[in-house]
Amino acid sequence: MKYTKVRFRMGGFRTPGYSIVPLYSWVILALIATGCISGSGDVSKAGVAISFDDHFIEDWYALKPLFDRYDAKVTFFITCPDSLTTREIRLLKELESDGHEIGFHGTIHGRATEMIAAHGPEGYIETELTPGLGYMRAAGFYPTSYAHPGGNHNSRVDSVLLAQGFQILRDVALSRREYKGVPLYQMAPRIMPWIYYSFDQAPIVDALSIDMDARVDIDSIKEAMEKAKNTGTALMLFGHQPLQGKAKQGQYGFDIGLLEGILKEAKIGNLKFYRMSDLVKN
């Protein structure tokens, strides 16, 4: 049985490992979490940090007019950079010149904890980090932010990545999970303090998935952005492939309409757009 990863960030405390949490426990924890966001104390810093994972470069580039319309800056986390084509490198360079960030998402998109357990830190570095970073640098990209493939990591993985020079490591947060169609939990993003950055220089963060299977709607995101505005924090969101309408078989991504709604609401609310590396610099 695949366990659900449960990780809270309340006052710097993280629950270790993997566990299945009963629904009533989530309700209690949700109530505890409400209002527990430790803000920056500076509401002028309030904003949203949006990132995208994997290798959907053509699809991301097609969003360029949307980003331009709202003057939004985002982060693209690239995996399997050995397969970057000349055209894809050019498109990423254009996005970078627009002010977007190019981050790293691993060479083979592997399970970091298993690689380290089996081959040690050196084997993990040689397999997942060194080759891909070499391809990135050869293409002219020097990433300082990292997104964990599949959200798989632990403190040992984090220490290796930070020692390699990454300034911020991004994990995955879900507002709902189910197992074989049975709901395990569902939480409103506004009461998930771990998806808000408090500008405390913390290098390990969590971003909320906006992919279709996460079933996050614009109303819940608007509430979360209002929370960020009131607390002087940055709401962290991420997705994979931009999609029009419903996802087809095998597709894993977010509705472009939802993204536009997020960008529009952020602009209306005078929220800043942050790249992931910006968070640790403010």
Side-chain angles (χ1 to χ4, degrees):
M1 177 177 180
K2 184 177 180 181
Y3 281 23
T4 298
K5 184 179 180 183
V6 179
R7 207 168 55 117
F8 291 99
R9 185 174 300 193
M10 298 187 202
F13 175 73
R14 287 169 175 247
T15 58
Y18 294 77
S19 60
I20 291 294
V21 178
L23 186 59
Y24 71 84
S25 296
W26 280 102
V27 173
I28 294 171
L29 289 167
L31 291 173
I32 294 173
T34 305
C36 288
I37 296 174
S38 176
S40 67
D42 183 357
V43 294
S44 68
K45 287 187 173 183
V48 59
I50 305 173
S51 53
F52 305 96
D53 292 2
D54 289 349
H55 203 108
F56 302 105
I57 297 166
E58 292 278 355
D59 297 312
W60 295 335
Y61 185 81
L63 298 177
K64 189 175 182 297
L66 189 61
F67 296 135
D68 292 342
R69 186 180 313 152
Y70 295 99
D71 195 26
K73 308 304 177 189
V74 303
T75 301
F76 301 101
F77 286 108
I78 308 299
T79 192
C80 303
D82 59 308
S83 63
L84 283 170
T85 66
T86 301
R87 172 175 168 78
E88 287 176 334
I89 292 172
R90 179 173 62 80
L91 298 184
L92 287 174
K93 281 291 183 183
E94 285 191 39
L95 290 170
E96 187 177 53
S97 67
D98 284 348
H100 302 296
E101 178 180 10
I102 309 301
F104 188 48
H105 194 40
T107 302
I108 64 171
H109 201 276
R111 292 182 62 82
T113 56
E114 294 177 4
M115 282 188 276
I116 281 191
H119 307 291
E122 295 79 11
Y124 168 61
I125 292 170
E126 292 173 3
T127 302
E128 186 69 287
L129 304 182
T130 301
L133 287 172
Y135 289 118
M136 294 286 283
R137 290 163 184 157
F141 302 109
Y142 301 88
T144 60
S145 57
Y146 186 86
H148 294 291
N152 177 260
H153 70 114
N154 55 23
S155 59
R156 194 178 185 193
V157 173
D158 293 342
S159 65
V160 170
L161 290 165
L162 293 173
Q164 291 294 303
F166 289 105
Q167 297 175 4
I168 190 165
L169 313 178
R170 201 219 70 210
D171 195 0
V172 173
L174 297 172
S175 62
R176 69 179 301 278
R177 289 292 287 266
E178 61 180 40
Y179 179 72
K180 294 185 177 180
V182 178
L184 295 176
Y185 66 84
Q186 183 162 354
M187 303 179 73
R190 71 177 183 277
I191 58 173
M192 298 171 64
W194 49 93
I195 63 172
Y196 298 84
Y197 196 77
S198 298
F199 301 100
D200 55 0
Q201 306 306 304
I204 303 168
V205 301
D206 302 89
L208 178 70
S209 172
I210 60 169
D211 284 340
M212 291 182 182
D213 63 345
R215 301 184 189 177
V216 175
D217 59 28
I218 189 60
D219 289 333
S220 64
I221 296 296
K222 285 170 64 176
E223 290 178 347
M225 287 193 288
E226 186 66 23
K227 187 83 171 185
K229 186 173 183 178
N230 293 336
T231 56
T233 56
L235 172 66
M236 295 174 286
L237 308 170
F238 88 100
H240 289 86
Q241 183 179 14
L243 301 172
Q244 292 279 7
K246 294 183 178 180
K248 298 178 182 178
Q249 184 72 25
Q251 287 185 315
Y252 191 59
F254 60 92
D255 183 6
I256 295 173
L258 174 62
L259 175 63
E260 181 164 16
I262 292 170
L263 300 180
K264 181 178 180 180
E265 291 298 327
K267 200 69 173 177
I268 291 173
N270 292 315
L271 294 175
K272 293 183 177 180
F273 289 104
Y274 290 99
R275 300 168 302 180
M276 293 306 298
S277 64
D278 293 333
L279 297 177
V280 292
K281 297 175 183 177
N282 279 273

